[in-house]
Coordinates of all heavy atoms in Angstrom, one line a residue:
N180 N 44.9 -19.7 -3.6 CA 44.2 -18.5 -3.2 C 43.4 -17.9 -4.3 O 42.7 -16.9 -4.1 CB 45.1 -17.5 -2.6 CG 46.2 -17.1 -3.5 OD1 46.2 -17.4 -4.7 ND2 47.2 -16.4 -3.0
N181 N 43.4 -18.5 -5.5 CA 42.6 -18.1 -6.7 C 43.1 -16.7 -7.2 O 42.3 -16.1 -7.9 CB 41.1 -18.1 -6.4 CG 40.3 -18.3 -7.6 OD1 40.7 -19.0 -8.5 ND2 39.1 -17.7 -7.7
K182 N 44.3 -16.3 -6.8 CA 44.8 -15.0 -7.3 C 45.3 -15.1 -8.7 O 45.3 -14.1 -9.4 CB 45.8 -14.5 -6.3 CG 45.3 -13.8 -5.1 CD 46.3 -13.1 -4.3 CE 45.8 -12.3 -3.2 NZ 46.8 -11.5 -2.4
T183 N 45.9 -16.2 -9.0 CA 46.4 -16.4 -10.4 C 45.6 -17.5 -11.1 O 45.3 -18.6 -10.5 CB 47.9 -16.8 -10.3 OG1 48.1 -18.0 -9.6 CG2 48.7 -15.7 -9.7
Q184 N 45.4 -17.3 -12.4 CA 44.7 -18.3 -13.2 C 45.4 -18.3 -14.6 O 45.7 -17.3 -15.1 CB 43.2 -17.9 -13.4 CG 42.4 -18.0 -12.1 CD 41.0 -17.6 -12.3 OE1 40.6 -17.1 -13.4 NE2 40.1 -17.8 -11.3
W185 N 45.5 -19.5 -15.1 CA 46.1 -19.7 -16.4 C 45.2 -20.7 -17.2 O 44.8 -21.7 -16.7 CB 47.5 -20.3 -16.4 CG 48.1 -20.5 -17.7 CD1 48.1 -19.7 -18.8 CD2 48.7 -21.7 -18.1 NE1 48.7 -20.3 -19.8 CE2 49.1 -21.6 -19.5 CE3 49.0 -23.0 -17.5 CZ2 49.8 -22.5 -20.2 CZ3 49.6 -24.0 -18.3 CH2 50.0 -23.7 -19.6
S186 N 44.7 -20.2 -18.4 CA 43.9 -21.0 -19.2 C 44.4 -21.0 -20.7 O 44.8 -20.0 -21.1 CB 42.4 -20.5 -19.2 OG 42.3 -19.2 -19.6
S187 N 44.3 -22.2 -21.3 CA 44.7 -22.3 -22.7 C 43.8 -23.3 -23.4 O 43.2 -24.2 -22.8 CB 46.1 -22.9 -22.8 OG 47.1 -22.0 -22.2
F188 N 43.6 -23.0 -24.7 CA 42.8 -24.0 -25.5 C 43.3 -23.9 -26.9 O 43.8 -22.9 -27.4 CB 41.3 -23.7 -25.4 CG 40.9 -22.5 -26.2 CD1 40.6 -22.6 -27.5 CD2 40.7 -21.3 -25.5 CE1 40.2 -21.4 -28.2 CE2 40.3 -20.1 -26.2 CZ 40.0 -20.2 -27.6
I189 N 43.1 -25.0 -27.6 CA 43.3 -25.2 -29.0 C 42.0 -25.7 -29.7 O 41.4 -26.6 -29.1 CB 44.5 -26.1 -29.3 CG1 44.8 -26.1 -30.9 CG2 44.4 -27.5 -28.8 CD1 46.1 -26.8 -31.2
K190 N 41.6 -25.1 -30.8 CA 40.3 -25.4 -31.4 C 40.5 -25.6 -32.9 O 41.2 -24.8 -33.5 CB 39.3 -24.4 -31.1 CG 37.9 -24.6 -31.7 CD 37.0 -23.5 -31.5 CE 36.5 -23.4 -30.1 NZ 35.5 -22.4 -29.9
R191 N 39.9 -26.6 -33.4 CA 39.8 -26.9 -34.8 C 38.4 -26.7 -35.3 O 37.5 -27.3 -34.8 CB 40.3 -28.3 -35.1 CG 40.1 -28.8 -36.6 CD 40.9 -28.0 -37.5 NE 40.9 -28.5 -38.9 CZ 41.4 -28.0 -40.0 NH1 42.0 -26.8 -39.8 NH2 41.3 -28.6 -41.1
I192 N 38.2 -25.8 -36.3 CA 36.9 -25.4 -36.8 C 36.8 -25.8 -38.2 O 37.7 -25.5 -39.0 CB 36.6 -23.9 -36.6 CG1 36.8 -23.5 -35.1 CG2 35.2 -23.5 -37.1 CD1 36.7 -22.1 -34.9
Q193 N 35.7 -26.4 -38.6 CA 35.4 -26.7 -40.0 C 33.9 -26.4 -40.3 O 33.0 -26.7 -39.5 CB 35.6 -28.2 -40.4 CG 37.1 -28.5 -40.5 CD 37.3 -30.0 -40.9 OE1 36.7 -30.9 -40.4 NE2 38.1 -30.2 -41.9
S194 N 33.6 -25.7 -41.4 CA 32.3 -25.4 -41.8 C 32.1 -25.5 -43.3 O 33.1 -25.3 -44.0 CB 31.8 -24.0 -41.3 OG 32.6 -23.0 -41.9
R195 N 30.9 -25.8 -43.7 CA 30.6 -25.9 -45.1 C 29.2 -25.4 -45.4 O 28.3 -25.8 -44.7 CB 30.7 -27.4 -45.6 CG 30.6 -27.6 -47.1 CD 30.8 -29.0 -47.5 NE 30.8 -29.2 -48.9 CZ 30.9 -30.4 -49.6 NH1 31.1 -31.5 -48.8 NH2 30.8 -30.5 -50.9
D196 N 29.1 -24.6 -46.4 CA 27.8 -24.0 -46.8 C 27.5 -24.3 -48.3 O 28.2 -23.8 -49.1 CB 27.8 -22.5 -46.5 CG 26.4 -21.9 -46.6 OD1 25.4 -22.6 -47.0 OD2 26.3 -20.7 -46.4
L197 N 26.5 -25.1 -48.5 CA 26.1 -25.4 -49.9 C 24.7 -24.8 -50.2 O 23.7 -25.1 -49.5 CB 26.0 -27.0 -50.1 CG 27.2 -27.8 -49.7 CD1 26.9 -29.3 -49.8 CD2 28.4 -27.4 -50.6
E198 N 24.7 -24.0 -51.2 CA 23.5 -23.3 -51.7 C 23.2 -23.6 -53.1 O 24.1 -23.5 -54.0 CB 23.5 -21.8 -51.5 CG 23.6 -21.4 -50.0 CD 23.7 -19.9 -49.9 OE1 23.6 -19.2 -50.9 OE2 23.8 -19.4 -48.7
S199 N 22.0 -24.0 -53.5 CA 21.6 -24.3 -54.8 C 20.2 -23.7 -55.0 O 19.4 -23.8 -54.1 CB 21.7 -25.8 -55.2 OG 20.8 -26.5 -54.4
G200 N 20.0 -23.2 -56.2 CA 18.7 -22.6 -56.5 C 18.4 -22.6 -58.0 O 19.2 -22.8 -58.8
S201 N 17.1 -22.5 -58.2 CA 16.6 -22.4 -59.6 C 15.5 -21.4 -59.7 O 14.7 -21.2 -58.8 CB 16.1 -23.8 -60.1 OG 15.0 -24.2 -59.3
I202 N 15.4 -20.8 -60.9 CA 14.4 -19.8 -61.2 C 13.7 -20.1 -62.5 O 14.4 -20.3 -63.5 CB 15.0 -18.3 -61.2 CG1 15.7 -18.0 -59.9 CG2 13.9 -17.3 -61.5 CD1 16.4 -16.7 -59.9
E203 N 12.4 -20.2 -62.5 CA 11.7 -20.4 -63.7 C 10.7 -19.3 -63.9 O 9.9 -18.9 -63.0 CB 10.9 -21.8 -63.7 CG 11.8 -23.0 -63.7 CD 11.0 -24.3 -63.7 OE1 9.8 -24.2 -63.7 OE2 11.6 -25.4 -63.8
E204 N 10.7 -18.7 -65.1 CA 9.9 -17.6 -65.4 C 9.1 -17.8 -66.7 O 9.7 -18.2 -67.7 CB 10.8 -16.3 -65.6 CG 10.0 -15.0 -65.7 CD 11.0 -13.8 -65.6 OE1 12.2 -14.0 -65.4 OE2 10.5 -12.7 -65.9
T205 N 7.8 -17.6 -66.6 CA 6.9 -17.9 -67.7 C 6.2 -16.6 -68.0 O 5.6 -15.9 -67.1 CB 5.9 -19.0 -67.4 OG1 6.6 -20.2 -67.1 CG2 5.0 -19.2 -68.7
I206 N 6.2 -16.1 -69.3 CA 5.5 -14.9 -69.7 C 4.4 -15.2 -70.7 O 4.6 -15.9 -71.7 CB 6.6 -13.9 -70.4 CG1 7.7 -13.6 -69.4 CG2 5.9 -12.7 -70.8 CD1 8.8 -12.8 -70.0
N207 N 3.2 -14.8 -70.4 CA 2.0 -15.0 -71.2 C 1.8 -16.4 -71.5 O 1.5 -16.8 -72.7 CB 2.2 -14.2 -72.5 CG 2.1 -12.7 -72.2 OD1 1.5 -12.2 -71.2 ND2 2.8 -11.9 -73.1
D208 N 2.0 -17.3 -70.5 CA 1.7 -18.7 -70.6 C 2.5 -19.4 -71.7 O 2.0 -20.4 -72.4 CB 0.2 -19.0 -70.8 CG -0.6 -18.4 -69.6 OD1 -0.1 -18.5 -68.5 OD2 -1.7 -17.9 -69.8
I209 N 3.7 -19.0 -72.0 CA 4.5 -19.7 -73.0 C 4.9 -21.0 -72.5 O 5.2 -21.2 -71.3 CB 5.8 -18.8 -73.3 CG1 5.4 -17.5 -73.9 CG2 6.7 -19.5 -74.3 CD1 6.5 -16.5 -74.2
V210 N 4.9 -22.0 -73.4 CA 5.1 -23.4 -73.0 C 6.5 -23.6 -72.4 O 6.7 -24.2 -71.3 CB 4.9 -24.4 -74.1 CG1 5.2 -25.8 -73.7 CG2 3.5 -24.3 -74.7
N211 N 7.6 -23.0 -73.0 CA 8.9 -23.2 -72.6 C 9.3 -22.0 -71.7 O 9.5 -20.9 -72.2 CB 9.9 -23.3 -73.8 CG 9.6 -24.5 -74.6 OD1 9.3 -25.6 -74.1 ND2 9.7 -24.4 -75.9
P212 N 9.5 -22.2 -70.4 CA 9.8 -21.1 -69.5 C 11.3 -20.8 -69.6 O 12.1 -21.5 -70.0 CB 9.5 -21.6 -68.1 CG 9.7 -23.1 -68.2 CD 9.2 -23.5 -69.6
I213 N 11.6 -19.6 -69.1 CA 13.0 -19.1 -69.0 C 13.6 -19.7 -67.7 O 13.0 -19.5 -66.6 CB 13.1 -17.6 -69.0 CG1 12.5 -17.1 -70.3 CG2 14.6 -17.2 -68.9 CD1 12.4 -15.5 -70.3
S214 N 14.7 -20.4 -67.8 CA 15.2 -21.1 -66.6 C 16.6 -20.5 -66.2 O 17.4 -20.2 -67.1 CB 15.3 -22.6 -66.8 OG 14.0 -23.1 -67.0
Q215 N 16.9 -20.4 -64.9 CA 18.2 -20.0 -64.4 C 18.6 -20.9 -63.2 O 17.7 -21.4 -62.6 CB 18.2 -18.6 -63.9 CG 17.8 -17.6 -65.0 CD 17.8 -16.2 -64.5 OE1 18.7 -15.8 -63.6 NE2 16.9 -15.3 -64.9
A216 N 19.8 -21.1 -63.0 CA 20.3 -22.0 -61.9 C 21.5 -21.3 -61.2 O 22.3 -20.6 -61.9 CB 20.7 -23.3 -62.4
T217 N 21.5 -21.4 -59.9 CA 22.6 -20.8 -59.1 C 23.1 -21.9 -58.2 O 22.4 -22.7 -57.6 CB 22.1 -19.6 -58.3 OG1 21.0 -20.0 -57.4 CG2 21.5 -18.5 -59.2
N218 N 24.5 -21.8 -57.9 CA 25.1 -22.7 -57.0 C 26.2 -22.0 -56.3 O 26.9 -21.2 -56.9 CB 25.7 -23.9 -57.8 CG 24.6 -24.9 -58.3 OD1 24.1 -25.7 -57.5 ND2 24.3 -24.8 -59.6
N219 N 26.4 -22.3 -55.0 CA 27.4 -21.7 -54.2 C 27.9 -22.7 -53.2 O 27.1 -23.3 -52.5 CB 26.9 -20.4 -53.5 CG 28.0 -19.8 -52.7 OD1 29.1 -19.6 -53.1 ND2 27.7 -19.4 -51.5
N220 N 29.2 -22.9 -53.2 CA 29.8 -23.9 -52.3 C 31.0 -23.2 -51.6 O 32.0 -22.8 -52.2 CB 30.4 -25.1 -53.1 CG 30.9 -26.2 -52.2 OD1 31.0 -26.0 -51.0 ND2 31.3 -27.3 -52.8
A221 N 30.8 -23.0 -50.3 CA 31.8 -22.3 -49.5 C 32.2 -23.2 -48.3 O 31.4 -23.8 -47.6 CB 31.2 -21.0 -48.9
T222 N 33.5 -23.2 -48.1 CA 34.1 -24.0 -47.0 C 35.0 -23.1 -46.2 O 35.6 -22.2 -46.7 CB 34.9 -25.2 -47.5 OG1 35.9 -24.8 -48.3 CG2 33.9 -26.2 -48.2

Side-chain angles (χ1 to χ4, degrees):
N180 56 14
N181 208 33
K182 281 191 174 182
T183 61
Q184 295 179 351
W185 177 50
S186 61
S187 298
F188 74 84
I189 183 171
K190 178 185 288 188
R191 171 63 170 173
I192 303 171
Q193 287 185 312
S194 64
R195 187 177 183 183
D196 190 358
L197 303 175
E198 295 181 1
S199 61
S201 65
I202 301 173
E203 292 185 359
E204 190 172 351
T205 304
I206 301 175
N207 294 330
D208 299 325
I209 297 176
V210 177
N211 296 322
I213 301 172
S214 300
Q215 301 178 39
T217 60
N218 289 280
N219 182 43
N220 185 351
T222 58

